[in-house]
Amino acid sequence: MALRIIMMGAPGAGKGTQAQRIAATYGVPHISTGDIFRAHLKDGTELGRKVRGYLDAGELVPDEVTCDIVAGRLAEADCANGYVLDGFPRSIPQAEALGRFLDARNEQIDVVIDVAVPDEEIVGRLTARRTCKKCGAIYNLKFSPPASGDGTRCDRPGCDGELSQRGDDQEETIRQRLRVYHETTEPLLAYYDEHGILKSVPGSGLSPDGVFEKIEEILSAAGLS
Ligand code: AP5
Ligand code: MG
Ligand code: ZN
């Protein structure tokens, strides 16, 4: 049975943290549009040059560009049994484009999971985020630092990659990302609620593992696991 999930939530809510766990547990690919764009920035591709200004400013990449990238990715063979989308869709036009893509293939999204975190927690969280350059593991110097070493290297077995800070995790850019989230992305919660597939989990006051337990409960109650 295919499993198609959308992770929703403000910048820093924990979409990536939870999507990595879902992907590892249920064997579906984790598709993060932010990660795709950052890989292009790093590789200096034409797409990377096109999107850099938007990422640096905390603005959304134009819908057309983003939807093309996602449609290409979802058509790849490893998506046949589903996927967990992280950071897409992020606007009503993106959700409509995804809907058309799925309709044409006679497929549907099973569940949209909103990870809810109050705005006032976001800035502190994101300024302390670090990501492994090698495997992409997500850490937090305050809330979930690497368990071993001096806090500058990844502690996943066999990795030892260097941890780095994202260019858009600066206070001013974080505040702009939050504004964009409330204005353009948050309306998707009502959109998917109307479709009857929206679920919500608390994204703060619980550890990442605690949040993941809530997600597993939702998936199992919906007969999806
Ligand atoms: P994107 O990469 O998607 O960034 P974002 O939405 O701002 O979200 P983040 O990745 O910052 O946060 P997250 O929710 O994944 O949290 P994480 O798990 O890391 O997008 C970046 C940019 O790309 C956009 O600004 C835009 O320019 C462009 N873009 C991307 N998609 C686009 C689209 N569809 N359309 C147009 N443009 C697009 O966790 C955050 C921190 O919290 C970590 O340190 C983590 O360790 C910690 N943490 C996690 N869970 C907990 C917990 N339970 N308690 C305490 N700390 C926790
Ligand atoms: Mg993320
Ligand atoms: Zn690593």
Side-chain angles (χ1 to χ4, degrees):
M1 191 184 70
L3 179 61
R4 298 184 193 89
I5 301 176
I6 294 174
M7 300 305 292
M8 294 283 303
K15 302 181 293 294
T17 299
Q18 297 304 325
Q20 287 183 352
R21 282 169 166 74
I22 293 170
T25 305
Y26 298 98
V28 289
H30 168 201
I31 300 174
S32 155
T33 38
D35 286 352
I36 294 172
F37 291 140
R38 281 184 291 277
H40 280 272
L41 287 187
K42 187 165 154 258
D43 294 345
T45 67
E46 196 190 326
L47 177 68
R49 283 192 292 279
K50 213 192 262 179
V51 304
R52 177 179 295 279
Y54 298 103
L55 272 86
D56 285 350
E59 300 290 348
L60 294 186
V61 171
D63 287 337
E64 232 178 66
V65 176
T66 308
C67 290
D68 277 356
I69 297 286
V70 173
R73 181 64 187 90
L74 296 186
E76 286 179 34
D78 66 333
C79 291
N81 289 319
Y83 36 79
V84 50
L85 281 172
D86 159 12
F88 181 92
R90 244 171 152 103
S91 65
I92 298 284
Q94 288 183 15
E96 289 171 348
L98 176 64
R100 289 191 295 273
F101 175 90
L102 290 164
D103 284 348
R105 301 160 67 96
N106 210 5
E107 294 171 352
Q108 63 215 7
I109 296 296
D110 296 300
V111 62
V112 177
I113 299 174
D114 177 46
V115 186
V117 174
D119 275 16
E120 55 270 23
E121 287 187 33
I122 297 289
V123 174
R125 228 190 225 204
L126 282 183
T127 47
R129 171 167 54 190
R130 297 292 183 275
T131 312
C132 174
K133 280 186 171 176
K134 216 160 124 188
C135 77
I138 301 165
Y139 294 94
N140 194 285
L141 299 182
K142 286 191 207 151
F143 305 110
S144 48
S148 56
D150 62 0
T152 64
R153 308 201 76 86
C154 181
D155 64 4
R156 282 203 186 163
C159 182
D160 196 43
E162 192 190 332
L163 304 189
S164 69
Q165 189 171 18
R166 258 170 57 176
D168 60 348
D169 280 347
Q170 305 298 329
E171 181 161 349
E172 226 176 276
T173 319
I174 296 167
R175 294 197 188 283
Q176 179 57 21
R177 285 157 59 200
L178 270 172
R179 278 193 287 272
V180 169
Y181 168 75
H182 288 301
E183 201 176 299
T184 310
T185 308
E186 209 171 22
L188 288 178
L189 297 180
Y191 176 91
Y192 283 117
D193 200 22
E194 276 165 28
H195 286 69
I197 54 172
L198 181 71
K199 301 281 177 196
S200 183
V201 293
S204 72
L206 286 175
S207 68
D209 287 341
V211 177
F212 185 58
E213 277 174 31
K214 301 273 177 206
I215 292 176
E216 288 189 295
E217 285 169 17
I218 286 171
L219 296 181
S220 109
L224 295 168
S225 66

